[in-house]
Amino acid sequence: WDHGTFLGSVTCSETTSAASGQSGVLRHDPFAMKPFMGYNAGDYFQHWLDMGKKTDAEKLPKIFYCNWFRRDKDGKFMWPGFGENSRVLKWVFGRTDKSSTDTTDAVKTAIGYVPTAGSLDTSGLNITKEKMAELLSVKKEEWTKESKEYRDYYKSLGPRVPKGMYDQLDALESRLKE
C-alpha cells in the first residue's frame, strides 16, 4: 500500500487546455488529482498512508501504476491506447483474482511487478515483440534520474511531506542500485 501511495504521489501528467497555463507541459500531478486537491499535498499523502494502517491489508485495493503514454525514439506513442487499454486491465484483473495461482505472468523489478510480454493479450494489434519489450522495460538509469527529481519535488512541497514517502523513495533508490 505504501509503495502504491508513493507511486501515486509522484505521478506526472501533461497539462491540457482544461488546466491553466501552457498545454503539453509535463507537471507533477499527484494521484492525477492536482486540480482537485484542496489542501496541502503532504497532508494528502499522509491521509493515504494512514488509510493503509486503518484497514486490513487484504481489504485494501491493489494499486497498479501504468504509463499509457510512453513514446518511442521518434516521439510516437508506443501503446495504441483507448479501447486497447482493456488488454492491460485484463492482466490487472488476472493478477488480483483470488482464485488465480499463476504468478508467471509478471516479473519483479525495482519499481514493482511488470507484465511478461506473453501475459498481455496483443492478438490483432500491430505491435512488434521489440516494441513490447521496450514498453515493458524498466530502465534503471531513467528511474534513477527521475528519483532525484522526485526528491526535489518533495522538498518543494515543504516539511509536511510524510517520512513514509521519503522512506519509499529511499527504498526505490536502493533497489535501483541492485
Side-chain angles (χ1 to χ4, degrees), residues 68-117:
W68 301 110
F69 306 105
R70 280 186 81 172
R71 296 177 189 256
D72 63 19
K73 63 182 178 349
D74 298 322
K76 295 185 178 170
F77 291 118
M78 296 173 70
W79 184 252
F82 301 105
E84 305 307 345
N85 294 351
S86 62
R87 296 166 185 264
V88 176
L89 295 175
K90 179 181 176 183
W91 176 83
V92 166
F93 295 142
R95 293 282 299 167
T96 59
D97 182 0
K98 295 270 186 210
S99 65
S100 176
T101 58
D102 182 10
T103 58
T104 62
D105 63 346
V107 60
K108 189 173 185 176
T109 71
I111 64 168
Y113 289 94
V114 174
T116 60

Side-chain angles (χ1 to χ4, degrees), residues 1-8 31 48 52 55-66 88-89 91-100 113:
W1 180 260
D2 289 1
H3 177 67
T5 300
F6 163 72
L7 290 174
F31 300 88
W48 288 109
T55 309
D56 177 9
E58 288 300 312
K59 293 181 181 175
L60 290 169
K62 305 300 180 224
I63 300 173
F64 290 81
Y65 184 83
C66 182
V88 176
L89 295 175
W91 176 83
V92 166
F93 295 142
R95 293 282 299 167
T96 59
D97 182 0
K98 295 270 186 210
S99 65
S100 176
Y113 289 94

Side-chain angles (χ1 to χ4, degrees), residues 87-149:
R87 296 166 185 264
V88 176
L89 295 175
K90 179 181 176 183
W91 176 83
V92 166
F93 295 142
R95 293 282 299 167
T96 59
D97 182 0
K98 295 270 186 210
S99 65
S100 176
T101 58
D102 182 10
T103 58
T104 62
D105 63 346
V107 60
K108 189 173 185 176
T109 71
I111 64 168
Y113 289 94
V114 174
T116 60
S119 66
L120 294 175
D121 176 7
T122 59
S123 59
L125 290 181
N126 184 17
I127 193 162
T128 65
K129 288 182 181 183
E130 293 78 21
K131 188 180 279 190
M132 279 305 298
E134 178 67 17
L135 273 167
L136 300 173
S137 67
V138 175
K139 294 183 170 63
K140 287 186 175 186
E141 56 282 347
E142 289 179 14
W143 276 91
T144 299
K145 181 180 173 190
E146 286 291 319
S147 70
K148 290 176 181 152
E149 203 282 334

